[in-house]
Amino acid sequence: MKLKNSVRLLVVCDSGAGAGKTTAAKYLSKKYGLTLLTSGLLYRYVAYKLIYNKKKNSDYYFLKKIIQSIRPKLLKNSKLYSSEVTNFTSEIAKVKKIRRMLRNYQKKFASKRLSVLEGRDMGILFPNADIKFFFKCSLKIAAKRRFKEFRKTNKKITFQEVHKSIKLRNHVDSTRKFSPLRIPKGAVIVDTTKINKKQMFARISKVIEDKLFIKYGRNYKAGQK
């Protein structure tokens, strides 16, 4: 669906790991022509560069340099999903300085006319977004989904490793002092534990189109008069 040039839409998707935020954001991006940013990849990229270059997360000059050089193609590296990077990502995500540096990148991205950002604190970072989704699901289901995803690039990873990693990451993210993972005010909560992708897509699409109708009336689609 192509939206009219007069339409501006900022959508954010929050959740812990494996609850559906990435799948939902990709779907919305494709259906409504929204430019997508997966914020978790920013942290994974920083973690990867720190590990690869054997740098400390307190090296401000190095951090500033790599964050300024981030480009979409750099976030497509399969090495960003290694167990080592995954575990270190949860550590650097607690660093206030790194979160602040990446916020500038995210805010600039969100200024685009049509955009969707997904991550673990997007609703907190963008409280005035047109729509804030928060996805929930059981830890077991989330681990199964993430295990299936990781197996594509890492055949040696086990379900137990993924389950433990998600449990730890969600605990760390929800208890950190700076920008913790939590349900943002005014968020639309989507529990994906017992629904499939088709059902989830139908629900979030209705929320989007109801919002567009309220904001722009019937004629928010390109080609309508």
Side-chain angles (χ1 to χ4, degrees):
M1 178 188 300
K2 189 174 181 180
L3 303 177
K4 284 188 172 181
N5 293 333
S6 58
V7 172
R8 296 187 66 88
L9 183 64
L10 172 59
V11 180
V12 295
C13 300
D14 278 89
S15 81
K21 65 181 180 299
T22 303
T23 299
K26 287 180 177 178
Y27 171 78
L28 295 176
S29 172
K30 184 176 181 179
K31 182 171 183 178
Y32 299 102
L34 310 179
T35 306
L36 169 65
L37 175 64
T38 298
S39 70
L41 287 178
L42 298 177
Y43 291 94
R44 285 181 176 275
Y45 178 74
V46 171
Y48 168 72
K49 295 296 285 185
L50 287 170
I51 293 171
Y52 181 80
N53 291 281
K54 298 180 179 179
K55 297 286 186 177
K56 295 181 179 180
N57 58 27
S58 58
D59 190 332
Y60 178 77
Y61 176 78
F62 180 76
L63 288 168
K64 184 177 180 181
K65 183 179 179 180
I66 62 173
I67 289 174
Q68 289 179 338
S69 68
I70 293 176
R71 299 292 182 273
K73 66 178 182 180
L74 297 177
L75 303 179
K76 296 180 180 180
N77 187 345
S78 62
K79 293 180 180 179
L80 301 186
Y81 292 95
S82 71
S83 296
E84 185 179 14
V85 170
T86 297
N87 292 332
F88 191 46
T89 296
S90 65
E91 291 300 313
I92 68 165
K94 295 186 293 184
V95 180
K96 191 173 183 179
K97 182 185 294 183
I98 293 177
R99 298 195 74 84
R100 282 183 169 171
M101 293 173 72
L102 287 175
R103 275 188 172 188
N104 292 330
Y105 183 96
Q106 293 164 340
K107 286 183 177 181
K108 182 177 180 181
F109 186 93
S111 67
K112 298 176 184 292
R113 183 174 69 87
L114 301 173
S115 58
V116 54
L117 295 88
E118 61 99 347
R120 292 169 179 250
D121 65 345
M122 292 297 97
I124 306 302
L125 182 56
F126 300 102
N128 297 318
D130 293 295
I131 300 171
K132 293 170 285 189
F133 287 113
F134 190 92
F135 298 86
K136 298 169 55 179
C137 80
S138 71
L139 176 59
K140 183 177 180 179
I141 295 299
K144 284 184 177 180
R145 292 171 179 166
R146 189 53 61 87
F147 174 65
K148 183 178 180 180
E149 176 186 337
F150 283 175
R151 284 280 292 178
K152 294 177 182 178
T153 55
N154 182 3
K155 298 298 183 182
K156 295 182 179 180
I157 198 167
T158 67
F159 174 78
Q160 289 72 22
E161 287 177 319
V162 175
H163 187 281
K164 182 179 179 181
S165 177
I166 290 178
K167 185 177 182 180
L168 175 62
R169 181 71 190 277
N170 287 342
H171 173 72
V172 170
D173 286 347
S174 61
T175 57
R176 66 181 176 232
K177 293 182 179 179
F178 185 65
S179 195
L181 170 67
R182 65 176 185 268
I183 300 175
K185 184 178 180 180
V188 176
I189 299 174
V190 183
D191 191 331
T192 64
T193 302
K194 297 180 180 180
I195 63 174
N196 57 35
K197 289 182 181 179
K198 185 176 180 180
Q199 292 169 320
M200 178 180 74
F201 293 160
R203 180 174 179 189
I204 61 178
S205 292
K206 185 177 187 307
V207 172
I208 293 286
E209 291 174 33
D210 284 349
K211 179 66 177 182
L212 289 171
F213 177 77
I214 291 171
K215 192 173 180 181
Y216 295 100
R218 296 181 181 279
N219 301 325
Y220 55 82
K221 301 177 185 177
Q224 289 183 325
K225 296 181 179 180

